[in-house]
Amino acid sequence: MIRQTALAAVALLSLPFSLAQITEGFESGWDQAAWPTYAPDCSQGGKVTLDTSQAHSGKNSIRVDGAGGYCGHIFVGTNKVPSGDVYVRSWIRASKAFTDSHVTFITMPDSAQGSKKHLRIGGQNKILMFNRESDDATLPDLSPQGVAASAALPAGSWQCFEYHLGPDGTVETWLNDKPIAGLTAKAGVANSNAGQWQRSSIKPKVTAIYFGWESYGGDTNTFWYDDIVVSSKKVGCT
């Protein structure tokens, strides 16, 4: 993993930022300058730690203990985001399965939505979903058909989660390299499960990517993140 991090650093020096790749497995520790915590508005009870009890590879991962309620949120992440296409791949482990309540485990400040608004990835109705803060639209629609088109995030084991945000507004998502139809929206392509999402012309322009926990009810959870890659090209699980 140290060798992978070194190779990524060399790539950053030799490539324009639009093509750069950020790779982090935390084997050299948690660089809090490069990977700061993030808790907008308030922070009450959530915490981030470097953990040696769980790891997808090597011996370290980042652990997020998320408290209940909005102010129990806490995230950690990077503002090194490629211009153009953005692909994010992380191995993630949740201690508990999602309930019907709305929660977030990845949040991204999104300048396309306006100041202090976020594009969020999380869960509701026990399935994975995207949520746009400015109009509270979800992808997929939370109809029976939309819920069926998404997927649950298995708890208690490492899962490979990847998504793509395109400059044309495209959203694509994979869980363990399998595409999730309900978490896919492409410009000019009708999607019966994306009625809310596609009513807006907003094309995400995220300025940072933060991994953690935010709950809009009382749900708590512990998440681990490892082997994170932020790239301008699809990464995959291997």
Side-chain angles (χ1 to χ4, degrees):
M1 185 54 64
I2 293 174
R3 181 173 180 271
Q4 290 178 340
T5 302
L7 289 173
V10 171
L12 284 173
L13 293 174
S14 60
L15 292 173
F17 186 64
S18 62
L19 299 177
Q21 176 171 295
I22 305 296
T23 302
E24 184 56 77
F26 307 104
E27 291 308 292
S28 298
W30 172 21
D31 182 346
Q32 296 187 40
W35 290 80
T37 58
Y38 180 71
D41 302 322
C42 53
S43 180
Q44 299 173 0
K47 66 178 181 178
V48 178
T49 54
L50 182 70
D51 192 35
T52 59
S53 71
Q54 297 285 349
H56 170 254
S57 67
K59 59 184 177 61
N60 293 340
S61 67
I62 284 290
R63 172 175 171 156
V64 176
D65 292 284
Y70 174 76
C71 285
H73 63 182
I74 190 71
F75 296 90
V76 59
T78 177
N79 61 7
K80 305 300 184 186
V81 180
S83 59
D85 289 288
V86 177
Y87 288 84
V88 179
R89 197 285 315 274
S90 179
W91 285 86
I92 60 179
R93 182 184 178 107
S95 65
K96 294 185 286 190
F98 294 147
T99 68
D100 288 333
S101 296
H102 182 194
V103 297
T104 293
F105 64 89
I106 297 176
T107 193
M108 295 161 281
D110 183 3
S111 62
Q113 295 186 56
S115 177
K116 298 183 179 181
K117 298 298 182 183
H118 299 77
L119 178 62
R120 305 185 288 208
I121 304 174
Q124 192 167 348
N125 291 9
K126 301 181 178 68
I127 53 95
L128 290 160
M129 72 167 191
F130 280 78
N131 175 242
R132 193 167 51 220
E133 185 177 3
S134 59
D135 60 357
D136 205 31
T138 64
L139 178 69
D141 295 333
L142 295 179
S143 63
Q145 295 80 11
V147 168
S150 184
L153 179 67
S157 60
W158 287 98
Q159 307 295 319
C160 176
F161 183 77
E162 182 171 5
Y163 62 95
H164 167 222
L165 306 175
D168 63 352
T170 290
V171 177
E172 297 178 283
T173 315
W174 301 264
L175 183 63
N176 299 317
D177 273 339
K178 295 178 63 175
I180 303 176
L183 301 187
T184 301
K186 297 185 177 182
V189 179
N191 181 343
S192 60
N193 298 311
Q196 284 189 26
W197 201 259
Q198 293 184 329
R199 279 199 292 268
S200 171
S201 61
I202 293 174
K203 299 174 183 177
K205 189 173 180 58
V206 300
T207 58
I209 300 160
Y210 295 107
F211 305 85
W213 180 256
E214 187 170 86
S215 170
Y216 311 102
D219 286 13
T220 64
N221 214 328
T222 298
F223 266 70
W224 289 265
Y225 298 89
D226 199 4
D227 297 327
I228 297 170
V229 181
V230 181
S231 180
S232 59
K233 297 182 179 179
K234 192 175 187 309
V235 181
C237 297
T238 56

